[in-house]
Amino acid sequence: MEATRDWLRGVLGPYHHRDRVFRDADTVLVNFNGLAPKTDTYTHEDGRTVVLLCLHGTIPIKFRGVTYNIPIAAWVPYTYPAQPPICFVTPTSSMLVRASKHVDLSGKIYHPYLAYWHMNSEESNILQFMRTLQEIFALEPPVYTKPSNPNPPSATPATYPPPGYTNPTQPVGGSPQPYPNVNRQNYAQASVNYYPQQAQQQLSMPDPRRHSTPPPGAQPPPVPPPPSYVLTGRAGSPHQQPLPHRSQSTPPPPIPAKPLAAALDGQAYQSALDERTAKLNALREAVKDRLRHRQRELNAAIPADIERLLHVNKRLSEGEVSISETIRKLGQEQGNVQNNIELLQQKNKELSESIDALRQQPDVNVDDVVGGSTVVYNQLFELVAEDHAIDDALYYLGKALDAEKIESAAFLKNVRGLAREQFMKRALIKKIRQHAGLTDTI
């Protein structure tokens, strides 16, 4: 199986979906042992020839409790799964195709599963279609065995089997043939051969359209001769009229020269035909009136709908412009916000670095920090501090005098002493500032 898979991977080069084709083909080969892959030339109906992958062999079906193998071939197109597989019934040299609603005389298979494949191509696959074929072939097998030694028809007038009877040696869908004068045993033993899966050899499978078959080894009961039917009426539309049973020595009655319709009363027939024609004409006119009414309604509604749709389209266009402008502004705002975020992160980083640097420095005495670089500057700091202290003392002496906490004589004495001392300190401050080259602000 691995060698088959390797070969299968190697031949899928031209396919559009190689993995899907390989997966579906491998699944079919695993589930149906009677199928095998090959590559062969396929000729389309327009004459084109392409080399496609073909799954050929047999699929098993159950017909009347017995398993039979039906020979088929499924061609996989290059565009699979977009296109369904092309399937044929491939009868052997001893088989013929029985035409039906799913199989034509050439063996090509038709089914709604293939017709509606494109509507759900992703879910459709070859395995599911093969199982569908098993179901429809189990109800109506698509092949039957060729007749072995058919007897030539006699020279008697052409007769036909009764309605609902089917000749077992004639495929469904073929043109009617005269009922042959065949041997009764050959007629009763006519059957269809398939390949049974259990015995792996050709067996005789009864015609599915027959009601019963004789058991093996038993002599079938005598088959009564079918009633004779003769062709009468117009060409292309034969009317079958049963003739009364006669012995073989009695010659058949002559074929009537006129069609069956000629036996009817001409006037009654023409009256019925005219009545039917009148009803059809009345129905046709009613349908036309209904269609005209519907057309007028549509013609009246379409302009209003068009106007409404144009207005909606205009509003949508304006909204599109507004939305585009809003998106542009939001983009700019987003850019600005992003720049501010980056700047803030950079400043936070610098601040964190400064804080870390300050924390790493040793503690400093305040008295050492606030001081001059020379003795003169230190003297200037002390004189200025004493000057401000004298100002504070004079202020509180005035407050005490106002509150009558101190006498006037004591107030004057203290003010005179502090004023004298402040004058001397300010004179010294001025002299030091002039000597140091500082601006005089006092």
Side-chain angles (χ1 to χ4, degrees):
M1 191 64 185
E2 291 299 328
T4 303
R5 287 176 176 148
D6 294 339
W7 177 87
L8 192 60
R9 290 190 181 95
V11 299
L12 297 180
Y15 283 84
H16 299 172
H17 304 279
R18 291 183 288 273
D19 294 338
R20 171 67 184 275
V21 175
F22 172 79
R23 184 171 64 252
D24 289 359
D26 182 67
T27 305
V28 172
L29 295 176
V30 170
N31 286 271
F32 292 92
N33 297 329
L35 295 177
K38 70 174 183 178
T39 56
D40 202 351
T41 302
Y42 176 78
T43 303
H44 290 275
E45 295 179 356
D46 56 2
R48 293 181 296 109
T49 59
V50 290
V51 178
L52 299 178
L53 173 66
C54 177
L55 303 178
H56 67 102
T58 60
I59 60 174
I61 67 168
K62 282 278 189 179
F63 182 75
R64 294 185 178 177
V66 183
T67 301
Y68 299 93
N69 287 338
I70 305 299
I72 67 167
W75 304 82
V76 184
Y78 287 150
T79 55
Y80 180 89
Q83 291 183 352
I86 307 169
C87 299
F88 286 86
V89 174
T90 57
T92 62
S93 59
S94 62
M95 297 181 181
L96 290 177
V97 175
R98 173 179 284 110
S100 64
K101 65 179 180 179
H102 297 303
V103 181
D104 61 12
L105 288 176
S106 66
K108 189 171 184 180
I109 300 173
Y110 302 90
H111 195 270
Y113 192 89
L114 298 177
Y116 296 101
W117 181 288
H118 63 281
M119 300 179 65
N120 193 11
S121 59
E122 293 300 325
E123 299 295 334
S124 302
N125 55 72
I126 305 176
L127 177 62
Q128 186 63 33
F129 181 61
M130 291 298 174
R131 290 173 177 168
T132 303
L133 291 182
Q134 286 182 301
E135 296 176 0
I136 63 175
F137 288 167
L139 299 176
E140 188 175 7
V143 292
Y144 66 99
T145 303
K146 288 183 180 179
S148 58
N149 292 317
N151 294 331
S154 62
T156 58
T159 59
Y160 289 87
Y165 179 84
T166 305
N167 187 354
T169 62
Q170 174 183 329
V172 176
S175 59
Q177 300 293 333
Y179 185 80
N181 184 16
V182 298
N183 183 273
R184 290 185 178 181
Q185 288 187 358
N186 295 336
Y187 168 79
Q189 293 176 356
S191 60
V192 178
N193 287 342
Y194 291 89
Y195 292 91
Q197 185 177 8
Q198 300 168 353
Q200 295 298 326
Q201 60 184 1
Q202 288 189 352
L203 295 178
S204 176
M205 183 173 118
D207 192 326
R209 295 170 295 181
R210 295 285 302 277
H211 295 287
S212 63
T213 55
Q219 182 67 23
V223 181
S228 299
Y229 284 75
V230 297
L231 180 64
T232 62
R234 295 167 292 180
S237 301
H239 296 275
Q240 296 178 354
Q241 295 181 351
L243 299 178
H245 180 70
R246 300 174 183 267
S247 62
Q248 294 183 356
S249 60
T250 304
I255 300 175
K258 295 183 179 182
L260 182 62
L264 299 176
D265 182 72
Q267 186 175 2
Y269 177 79
Q270 186 64 32
S271 176
L273 183 61
D274 293 342
E275 182 179 359
R276 180 175 178 272
T277 303
K279 289 182 179 180
L280 290 176
N281 291 335
L283 181 61
R284 188 181 296 110
E285 292 298 327
V287 172
K288 288 182 179 180
D289 293 340
R290 181 65 176 175
L291 291 176
R292 292 192 192 97
H293 179 69
R294 183 59 178 166
Q295 184 180 6
R296 287 193 295 269
E297 291 179 353
L298 291 176
N299 291 338
I302 285 175
D305 292 340
I306 292 176
E307 185 67 23
R308 179 178 57 82
L309 292 175
L310 289 175
H311 180 66
V312 172
N313 186 33
K314 180 180 178 181
R315 293 183 60 185
L316 290 175
S317 300
E318 294 175 353
E320 181 182 5
V321 174
S322 177
I323 291 173
S324 300
E325 182 66 19
T326 303
I327 292 175
R328 186 184 63 81
K329 292 181 180 179
L330 290 176
Q332 293 179 353
E333 293 293 336
Q334 184 178 6
N336 295 334
V337 171
Q338 189 67 28
N339 293 333
N340 293 334
I341 291 174
E342 294 177 357
L343 180 61
L344 179 61
Q345 291 176 350
Q346 182 180 358
K347 294 300 182 181
N348 287 337
K349 183 178 179 181
E350 294 177 358
L351 181 61
S352 299
E353 292 176 353
S354 300
I355 292 174
D356 294 338
L358 291 175
R359 288 176 177 175
Q360 293 176 0
Q361 293 180 0
D363 294 337
V364 180
N365 190 3
V366 178
D367 295 335
D368 296 337
V369 174
V370 183
S373 58
T374 61
V375 177
V376 176
Y377 288 155
N378 289 331
Q379 185 180 3
L380 181 61
F381 286 150
E382 292 177 358
L383 291 174
V384 172
E386 291 176 356
D387 181 37
H388 287 292
I390 292 173
D391 286 337
D392 293 339
L394 292 175
Y395 172 76
Y396 282 106
L397 285 173
K399 296 289 285 185
L401 181 63
D402 293 337
E404 295 182 356
K405 298 292 185 180
I406 187 175
E407 295 180 357
S408 299
F411 172 76
L412 293 175
K413 181 179 178 180
N414 288 318
V415 168
R416 187 168 48 249
L418 292 174
R420 187 184 302 111
E421 183 178 0
Q422 186 179 30
F423 175 78
M424 296 301 295
K425 291 184 182 299
R426 289 187 176 182
L428 184 56
I429 289 171
K430 183 176 182 181
K431 185 176 180 180
I432 291 173
R433 294 180 68 86
Q434 290 177 355
H435 183 271
L438 299 176
T439 303
D440 189 4
T441 57
I442 300 178

